Amino acid sequence: MSSLIGTVKLRETATNAAVVAEVYDGVDQSHLANWQTKWKPIIEATRLRLEQQGAKNALPQSSHWEWDKKAAHFQKLLAYRMFVVVCQGDTQGLMAVATDPRHRTRVADDKGRAGLGLAYVDYLESAPWNRPEHVPQPRFRGVGSVLIAAAVQLSLDENFKGRVGLHSLPQSEDFYRTNIGMADLGPDNTYANFPLRYFEMTEIAARAFIQ
């Protein structure tokens, strides 16, 4: 089940105009159908193009994510929430966030405390037409930032005071470090089979970000 939680502004790249978008808590079939029929063909076309160019390593590292399977899995878990950004009738971004006690802060707060609760962004992806890896001129800017803002708000709602953590794909590290202003805590050798870099947003950084 999906419910509208607010509207935001995205920036249309071609005109630099602000465009109204909706943010939803929960994913419904229309969002997933849009991913299936519009995202996947572009991703597959990029895959074929890069293979022909001998540049498979340039393929966006989230390209193998199957959001229909993720939604079916996460919607069964009480500690997970999914968020969607929709603009001009298209699914512009998808995110899954965990709020369970497994995820704790690693950066000490202003009182020297670590190990506090946070909202953990497990997956976040913008539509392929918003990414320069797929298209010469992205359609919208700001989708990733809007989704992170939703994660910060969820953290506030859960009394985590805006704290957010995530492991970043290598291609997205600069976005979280520079655009979002998260603290880069370096490669996490305990993460699955690949040491992705771990990023964390403190309470202070969260307040600055949502302002």
Side-chain angles (χ1 to χ4, degrees), residues 54-198:
K56 285 180 62 176
N57 290 339
L59 184 70
Q61 293 159 337
S62 59
S63 296
H64 65 285
W65 291 354
E66 298 288 338
W67 281 101
D68 54 348
K69 295 177 182 177
K70 294 187 187 304
H73 175 68
F74 291 136
Q75 287 174 341
K76 298 175 183 177
L77 304 177
L78 292 176
Y80 268 86
R81 298 274 285 279
M82 296 192 70
F83 295 87
V84 188
V85 178
V86 175
C87 185
Q88 296 180 348
D90 287 324
T91 299
Q92 302 294 338
L94 292 156
M95 178 177 68
V97 187
T99 57
D100 61 86
R102 293 176 302 157
H103 303 290
R104 297 286 176 174
T105 59
R106 305 182 190 184
V107 178
D109 67 2
D110 55 1
K111 296 180 181 178
R113 300 173 299 177
L116 304 173
L118 54 67
Y120 178 80
V121 177
D122 215 339
Y123 297 94
L124 185 157
E125 187 173 21
S126 184
W129 52 75
N130 297 325
R131 304 177 62 175
E133 303 97 327
H134 289 289
V135 295
Q137 179 173 285
R139 183 173 167 189
F140 293 114
R141 299 195 305 271
V143 175
S145 297
V146 165
L147 288 170
I148 291 294
V152 170
Q153 185 58 55
L154 175 62
S155 175
L156 292 169
D157 293 343
E158 295 288 329
N159 295 317
F160 297 154
K161 298 186 177 181
R163 299 184 295 264
V164 174
L166 58 87
H167 288 85
S168 174
L169 294 172
Q171 291 170 337
S172 301
E173 291 170 0
D174 190 59
F175 170 75
Y176 294 115
R177 186 186 301 112
T178 304
N179 295 43
I180 304 300
M182 300 179 80
D184 180 354
L185 302 188
D188 183 356
N189 293 317
T190 68
Y191 182 82
N193 298 317
F194 188 82
L196 295 179
R197 298 184 80 88
Y198 178 73

Side-chain angles (χ1 to χ4, degrees), residues 37-47 128-129 134-135:
T37 60
K38 293 193 174 183
W39 289 34
K40 292 189 75 175
I42 297 174
I43 292 170
E44 183 58 25
T46 299
R47 187 193 315 278
W129 52 75
H134 289 289
V135 295

